[in-house]
Amino acid sequence: MCGIVGYVGKKNAQDFLISGLKRLEYRGYDSAGIVTFDAKGKATLLRSKGKISDLETKVAKNKRTDTVGIGHTRWATHGEPSERNAHPHKAGKIYLVHNGIIENYKELKSKLEKFHTFASDTDSEVLAALINHFYLDGEYPLSNAVVQALKLVHGTYGIAVVSELKPTEVVVARSGSPLVIGIGHGETLIASDASALLGHTKKAIYLNDGEVASITADSVEIKTLDSQPVSAKVETIKTDLAAIQKGGYDHFLLKEIMEQPASLTETLRGRINLIEKTVHLGGPNLSDKELKSIKHLIIVGCGTAYHAGMLASYYIEQFTNDITIEPVMASEYRYRHAHIPDHTVALIVSQSGETADTLACLRDLKSQGVKTIGIVNAIGSTIAREVDGGTYIHAGPEISVASTKAFTSQAVAMIMFGLTIAEAKGIKNSFIAPYVEEIAALPNEIDNLLQTLPDTIKALAEKYKSYDHAIYLGRDVSYPAALEGALKLKEISYIDANAYPTGELKHGPLALIDDRFFEFVLLPKDNLYDKSISGVQEVLARGGHVVVITNSAEFSLPVDNVIKITTSLKLLAPILMNLVSQLFAYYITTAKGFNVDQPRNLAKSVTVE
Ligand code: F6R
């Protein structure tokens, strides 16, 4: 949610800023801007509405040799997407880029109005004006002015600030929005996500909440808001450049769908023992005694991560017998007055590891003494660092805004966590073994499906691309898979898609069925198969346009389309079916000609509430 970059060194700052912003464009893409400085402090500010490519055109006409600068790609919160609301914002001699939300901006703005003429509608310009107010045109060091200003601010921020008076220094700070400092040879780079640094350096310092850093080409000085010095920990960025490139695919989304056999293999690596039919997750750091004592499991996440948690909860209930499992949406749960029983453990699920609502729940649960376990993809992210223990899903960077490979890996990682609980509780291995075997087989099964089905699904998408509404149906484990399928379709193709449990149709949604709708039914051959068939019949009897995804060879109802999946999986077939939904959403969206990787109004990594 908004991307920040910065550069101090000897090379062309514009080049790094633009290439860095392109890497971060998935975080926000309604407007962008950069400011660079020459040795005397002369600033060149370039901003534009729209994508980074629009900004790039502007930069090409205003090429500079400046070696210091900051940049920003925006996902609008306060003020419409426009050039005047794009960052960097200027106040006096300073320029600022900001990711996050200043909650008390109105109150601060009313006090600052007599000193500063506001040129935008943003909360960020208020922060720039406040810093400038303490900076007194260079009378105080910039980092001191930043500290004074931040002490008055409520909200979240990742910021980078430069003054025309000292253009060899960038000051950065964070609270709730990520900031990484890349250490190069004679250059220092700044980004809200390490992916922007790849190809420049692998050495990085991840700033913590409440820290402020003064950065030059060859130094980084960090202090807290209480002016206590912090000794920086330099870490190695493990991601490779290839992982954040399209690798020959037209879109990141297709690449990420297609790489699931490999990404899931990474999730499973070293964690499955196929001889003993057991799983081993080291990261959660829970002893057998602690695992055994778990009575209540809360699974916290947003959007796709929540769906993965819900899906895993259906499975975990199947092979444990004395724990209750509650998947919750973080945005709701953070304001509930939920009673938390003794012996509760919380799984905190997040691809980015930065989602504000999920992070708020994590902090709240921790403060109540609940043991928190992260199910996170982004290494070194805030959630990964704040949980008590955790399991990285190791799915690799997910660039496309719609989450796909992370869902599969999150769901499987959580089922594995459930299996470790079951093992510790002494559940018979004969109950657990079939799940372990199917998990181990899943990457291959996914590979088979991805080798054989894309063309069929592409043709299906062509047929349904002009519908306005879709209903996704599933029962039991397939219900969360249906929810996830509907989310994928609506967020990238803008088709109004909703999911219902098949058994709920008759309690209301059946009234919707008409020619504007199609119904996408996930129909695994499980113990509820016959009951789900009745649901399909109810829809057919009302003239519905039904597409069925099934692994049942004998399915023969006269529906509009059937996608038959050949698989040996009995328990995990719904996870496989979700890949059909992912491909279907992808192909419908490309058939409609929409931007698959950057759907309108959205951004990846939602670091604001
Ligand atoms: C949907 C999607 C979102 C995210 C949600 C949580 O395709 O990507 O619903 O799943 O915003 O994000 P993370 O997992 O980063 O916490």
Side-chain angles (χ1 to χ4, degrees):
M1 194 133 283
C2 297
I4 289 178
V5 283
Y7 182 85
V8 208
K10 296 182 184 64
K11 296 188 194 139
N12 187 300
Q14 283 186 333
D15 290 348
F16 171 73
L17 297 178
I18 291 294
S19 71
L21 287 179
K22 279 188 180 162
R23 298 244 186 101
L24 300 183
E25 194 166 21
Y26 70 93
R27 298 178 70 94
Y29 33 82
D30 58 46
S31 53
I34 60 171
V35 61
T36 56
F37 302 84
D38 71 11
K40 292 192 178 127
K42 183 175 175 306
T44 303
L45 175 66
L46 300 167
R47 301 185 295 183
S48 72
K49 187 178 168 196
K51 305 259 181 202
I52 309 296
S53 52
D54 299 309
L55 177 66
E56 198 175 13
T57 311
K58 223 172 196 178
V59 172
K61 292 183 191 141
N62 293 277
K63 276 311 275 177
R64 305 280 311 160
T65 54
D66 304 345
T67 58
V68 177
I70 52 177
H72 186 269
T73 180
R74 181 167 185 252
W75 183 83
T77 57
H78 297 66
E80 48 160 33
S82 64
E83 188 173 327
R84 74 190 183 88
N85 285 331
H87 302 215
H89 291 290
K90 182 174 194 247
K93 304 272 187 239
I94 69 145
Y95 291 80
L96 164 139
V97 291
H98 167 227
N99 173 17
I101 287 185
I102 306 302
E103 285 165 9
N104 57 336
Y105 81 102
K106 273 197 186 139
E107 169 198 329
L108 293 169
K109 191 172 182 176
S110 66
K111 291 186 184 139
L112 289 162
E113 254 154 357
K114 43 184 173 304
F115 309 107
H116 176 79
T117 308
F118 282 91
S120 77
D121 307 319
T122 65
D123 53 334
S124 309
E125 190 186 356
V126 175
L127 182 54
L130 188 62
I131 294 171
N132 185 51
H133 183 67
F134 288 109
Y135 184 51
L136 290 176
D137 277 345
E139 217 164 287
Y140 290 100
L142 183 58
S143 65
N144 287 8
V146 167
V147 166
Q148 291 309 316
L150 293 180
K151 282 184 174 166
L152 298 179
V153 154
H154 304 305
T156 54
Y157 53 80
I159 55 167
V161 193
V162 183
S163 161
E164 288 173 344
L165 300 176
K166 197 177 174 195
T168 49
E169 176 195 48
V170 181
V171 175
V172 298
R174 78 158 267 178
S175 180
S177 296
L179 240 161
V180 192
I181 302 166
I183 314 293
H185 296 290
E187 60 181 7
T188 312
L189 309 100
I190 297 147
S192 45
D193 177 331
S195 64
L197 308 179
L198 296 178
H200 300 276
T201 179
K202 287 239 157 187
K203 290 201 292 179
I205 298 168
Y206 292 85
L207 212 62
N208 291 308
D209 277 355
E211 291 178 352
V212 179
S214 302
I215 293 165
T216 66
D218 40 33
S219 70
V220 177
E221 270 176 37
I222 307 179
K223 61 184 175 187
T224 63
L225 287 182
D226 304 325
S227 298
Q228 295 304 310
V230 174
S231 62
K233 188 169 153 228
V234 181
E235 299 182 37
T236 305
I237 303 171
K238 298 221 172 68
T239 311
D240 284 327
L241 200 51
I244 58 159
Q245 290 167 340
K246 281 191 193 147
Y249 287 98
D250 289 343
H251 302 101
F252 280 110
L253 190 69
L254 186 58
K255 178 191 175 221
E256 287 158 11
I257 292 172
M258 299 307 272
E259 71 191 8
Q260 288 177 92
S263 54
L264 186 59
T265 301
E266 289 310 309
T267 310
L268 306 186
R269 192 174 295 288
R271 292 168 169 169
I272 299 260
N273 182 335
L274 260 183
I275 298 170
E276 291 177 7
K277 309 273 186 321
T278 53
V279 299
H280 175 73
L281 292 179
N285 266 337
L286 293 169
S287 64
D288 262 13
K289 195 171 161 222
E290 285 173 299
L291 286 167
K292 209 171 165 178
S293 68
I294 297 175
K295 288 267 179 282
H296 188 63
L297 192 62
I298 305 175
I299 308 184
V300 187
C302 294
T304 290
Y306 164 70
H307 293 155
M310 192 172 173
L311 185 133
S313 73
Y314 275 79
Y315 281 111
I316 300 172
E317 278 172 354
Q318 291 173 9
F319 51 73
T320 54
N321 52 19
D322 70 341
I323 56 175
T324 54
I325 308 164
E326 192 189 3
V328 296
M329 278 179 193
S331 57
E332 281 295 302
Y333 192 71
R334 63 184 292 185
Y335 295 111
R336 272 173 56 189
H337 301 277
H339 169 67
I340 299 174
D342 289 344
H343 306 294
T344 295
V345 163
L347 293 183
I348 312 294
V349 196
S350 176
Q351 188 286 127
S352 63
E354 302 292 349
T355 302
D357 289 320
T358 312
L359 184 57
C361 290
L362 158 64
R363 289 177 177 162
D364 186 48
L365 286 162
K366 265 182 95 168
S367 74
Q368 296 187 58
V370 175
K371 190 102 175 186
T372 55
I373 309 293
I375 304 290
V376 174
N377 193 29
I379 314 271
S381 55
T382 310
I383 291 177
R385 284 184 291 138
E386 292 196 16
V387 284
D388 297 310
T391 292
Y392 278 121
I393 61 170
H394 293 304
E398 202 182 57
I399 309 285
S400 196
V401 165
S403 187
T404 50
K405 61 177 179 171
F407 172 86
T408 308
S409 288
Q410 286 163 343
V412 172
M414 284 185 271
I415 298 169
M416 287 199 288
F417 181 72
L419 289 168
T420 59
I421 301 177
E423 283 166 15
K425 283 181 181 280
I427 301 287
K428 273 202 203 133
N429 189 259
S430 54
F431 280 116
I432 294 172
Y435 293 91
V436 178
E437 281 166 358
E438 290 210 3
I439 288 173
L442 197 51
N444 243 336
E445 292 280 347
I446 291 177
D447 198 32
N448 289 342
L449 181 131
L450 292 175
Q451 301 283 343
T452 50
L453 274 187
D455 287 345
T456 314
I457 299 170
K458 192 173 179 183
L460 187 74
E462 198 53 47
K463 221 170 143 184
Y464 288 92
K465 69 178 185 197
S466 44
Y467 279 79
D468 291 327
H469 307 276
I471 292 180
Y472 278 60
L473 295 169
R475 195 152 190 190
D476 196 62
V477 182
S478 301
Y479 170 53
L483 282 168
E484 175 56 12
L487 174 62
K488 224 64 339 169
L489 187 70
K490 78 180 103 179
E491 73 180 319
I492 60 174
S493 77
Y494 317 140
I495 292 175
D496 163 39
N498 286 298
Y500 303 98
T502 315
E504 279 292 302
L505 271 177
K506 55 192 174 295
H507 298 295
L510 210 46
L512 290 170
I513 309 294
D514 69 17
D515 281 344
R516 297 165 306 149
F517 283 75
F518 69 89
E519 295 76 34
F520 195 91
V521 187
L522 303 183
L523 188 65
K525 185 86 180 94
D526 57 14
N527 56 334
L528 292 175
Y529 177 76
D530 291 334
K531 293 187 189 297
S532 300
I533 287 275
S534 310
V536 175
Q537 266 161 337
E538 286 162 15
V539 178
L540 284 177
R542 279 137 189 106
H545 303 283
V546 179
V547 180
V548 164
I549 317 300
T550 186
N551 56 339
S552 160
E554 72 260 23
F555 177 84
S556 61
L557 288 181
V559 296
D560 287 14
N561 286 92
V562 191
I563 305 284
K564 284 199 178 165
I565 292 176
T566 316
T567 174
S568 64
L569 300 179
K570 294 194 167 57
L571 302 162
L572 302 187
I575 298 183
L576 209 53
M577 289 176 182
N578 183 56
L579 272 87
V580 177
S581 306
Q582 293 175 349
L583 283 168
F584 183 65
Y586 171 77
Y587 284 121
I588 278 210
T589 306
T590 46
K592 291 177 89 157
F594 294 148
N595 188 332
V596 180
D597 287 328
Q598 294 172 344
R600 69 185 181 205
N601 306 338
L602 299 178
K604 200 139 183 105
S605 189
V606 187
T607 52
V608 295
E609 190 177 347

